[in-house]
Each structure stands twice: as structure tokens, then as C-alpha cells.
Amino acid sequence: MGEKAAEPEWLGYIIEARDRERARISRLLHDEVGQVLSAAGLQLDLLRMDCAQEPPLAARIAEAQKLLEQAVGQVRSLSYALNPAIVERAGLKGALEELIERSRKVFSGRLEFAWDGGLRLPGQAAEACYRIVELALENALRHSGAGRIEVRCRRQGPEAIVEIRDDGCGFAAGQAGRPGRGMGLRLMEHLARRGGLELSLASEPEKGTIVKAIYRLRERAAAGGQGRDRRG
């Protein structure tokens, strides 16, 4: 079997392995870390009541409780975001909003998100779009040196278009097709095929990168391939 025939199965294994690891970490955060933090919060609450006659000490304990409550909220949020079923649970728009907010916390530049309210995608295409955005953001945040990243999801005639654009360092056009191209791009290509999407990549050195995932709504509807929608 040649490399091209074997690649989708190999990349599919990587994606499944990522999902299993994320599910494991999500359960760990929710079932173990979250519960330990909640138990610590209850102990602090009891301690604060025991120190009711010592207002300065009770006030300091109350402040510690507030910080602990923030930590519990962050752990729950991260556990939810890491769950592989986030698109099914929150819809594509909700899942992307969560992803954008997490990404803004580690990005010093400007990260914009725009959503067309009329955009609707079937489940498999919505899942693929989310993962493509996630991978494109990872690449942009880690490697591009961008100061601005835009994620735009829109309906344009018979097409649903999810676009990720950055103003980073970019790369020469020929580099994308080489055997040594980034794993992120290869995973995006595999996800696009699996979700029935067309993937396009445009980039030039020092002029940024544009990744587009396109789903042809009219053709899919005519073929009876709409499936269940994942709305925002």
C-alpha cells in the first residue's frame, strides 16, 4: 500500500489518540481535581465559621475561598472544553466561543471572532470545522508570531465558510506540499476529508496565512447529506 492510501488511516489513529487523551484529562479534572478543590472549599467554610470571633482572620479565609472558587470554575471550564463531545453539547458556535476565549488568555495580540447567524452545518462537518479551527489557532499561536488572528464563520451563497486568518510570518507556497510539512496541516486535511469539507491554504512569507474550510450546502442538500444540524 502506498503512502497516500495509508495516510488517512494513520492520521485517523492520531486524532483518535488525541481524543482519548483529552477525554482522560477531562475526566481527571472533573472527577478528581474538581472534587478535591470543592472539598477544600468546604473545609475553609467550616474554618471561617470557627473563626467568626476573629474578624481579621475570618476575612482572610473568605478571600482564600474566593480564590478557590475561581480555581474550581476554571477547572470545570477547562474540563468542559477538553471534552471531545464539546461541539455536540454546545453547538459549533458555542464550542468556538469557548475555544476563542481560552486562546485569548495565551495570546498577547488581537483575536477576533465573527459568526453569521444563518450558518448551519451537519454534525460531522461541524465537528471537522471546530477541529480545523483549533489546529489552525495552535499553529498561529505557536509558530506565526502574529499580532492579529481572525476567525470568521459565514454563509456565502451555497457555501458555509470557516476562515482562520493571521498576519504572521507565513511561508512559501511550495512548502505546504512537501513531505515534511507540519503535522497540523496534515491533520486538517484529513479532518476536512472526513467532514466532507474542502480545505484551502494561502500563505506568503511575512504576509500571513489564510486557512479556509468550505462546506457546499446546496450540493449536500441535493444529495440528501445534510444530517443533523449543529447550530450556534
Side-chain angles (χ1 to χ4, degrees), residues 4-231:
K4 289 185 178 179
E7 186 178 65
E9 181 178 355
W10 174 59
L11 291 174
Y13 174 78
I14 293 177
I15 292 170
E16 291 173 5
R18 282 166 59 103
D19 283 351
R20 288 195 298 270
E21 183 63 11
R22 284 186 163 197
R24 185 188 70 82
I25 295 173
S26 177
R27 289 193 300 270
L28 175 66
L29 289 172
H30 182 272
D31 297 340
E32 297 186 27
V33 178
Q35 289 184 10
V36 169
L37 291 176
S38 295
L42 290 175
Q43 292 298 318
L44 282 175
D45 196 39
L46 293 173
L47 182 60
R48 180 174 55 83
M49 289 188 289
D50 288 341
C51 297
Q53 303 303 318
E54 300 287 341
L57 182 56
R60 293 182 65 180
I61 295 173
E63 288 299 318
Q65 282 183 292
K66 290 179 182 179
L67 293 174
L68 190 59
E69 288 171 1
Q70 291 178 12
V72 170
Q74 290 170 353
V75 166
R76 288 175 178 169
S77 177
L78 184 57
S79 172
Y80 179 78
L82 286 174
N83 193 304
I86 185 172
V87 176
E88 182 177 355
R89 295 182 177 183
L92 179 57
K93 181 185 179 185
L96 287 175
E97 287 175 336
E98 176 74 25
L99 174 62
I100 295 297
E101 285 306 308
R102 282 191 287 121
S103 299
R104 281 175 176 153
K105 293 177 181 178
V106 297
F107 181 50
S108 60
R110 183 173 179 179
L111 177 51
E112 299 180 356
F113 176 59
W115 175 271
D116 180 346
L119 184 66
R120 300 178 183 180
L121 287 171
Q124 195 168 19
E127 177 70 25
C129 281
Y130 173 79
R131 291 169 178 268
I132 287 170
V133 173
E134 185 177 42
L135 286 167
L137 278 177
E138 286 180 8
N139 282 346
L141 292 172
R142 292 179 182 178
H143 307 300
S144 74
R148 179 172 178 173
I149 304 173
E150 301 175 14
V151 178
R152 302 192 180 280
C153 307
R154 67 183 187 277
R155 170 79 180 267
Q156 184 173 309
E159 297 178 341
I161 301 174
V162 175
E163 179 179 299
I164 309 95
R165 179 189 298 260
D166 71 65
D167 64 356
C169 61
F171 52 86
Q175 293 177 348
R178 293 179 181 174
R181 68 191 187 279
M183 180 59 68
L185 176 58
R186 301 179 78 175
L187 290 173
M188 282 189 272
E189 290 171 344
H190 178 73
L191 288 165
R193 286 193 294 269
R194 192 169 73 173
L197 307 168
E198 294 180 15
L199 187 74
S200 71
L201 176 71
S203 186
E204 293 183 43
E206 308 306 324
K207 293 186 178 180
T209 300
I210 303 173
V211 177
K212 285 185 182 180
I214 302 170
Y215 185 83
R216 300 191 182 280
L217 298 163
R218 186 177 298 167
E219 292 177 6
R220 298 289 172 180
Q226 284 187 308
R228 187 171 59 176
D229 285 349
R230 296 286 181 229
R231 300 188 183 187

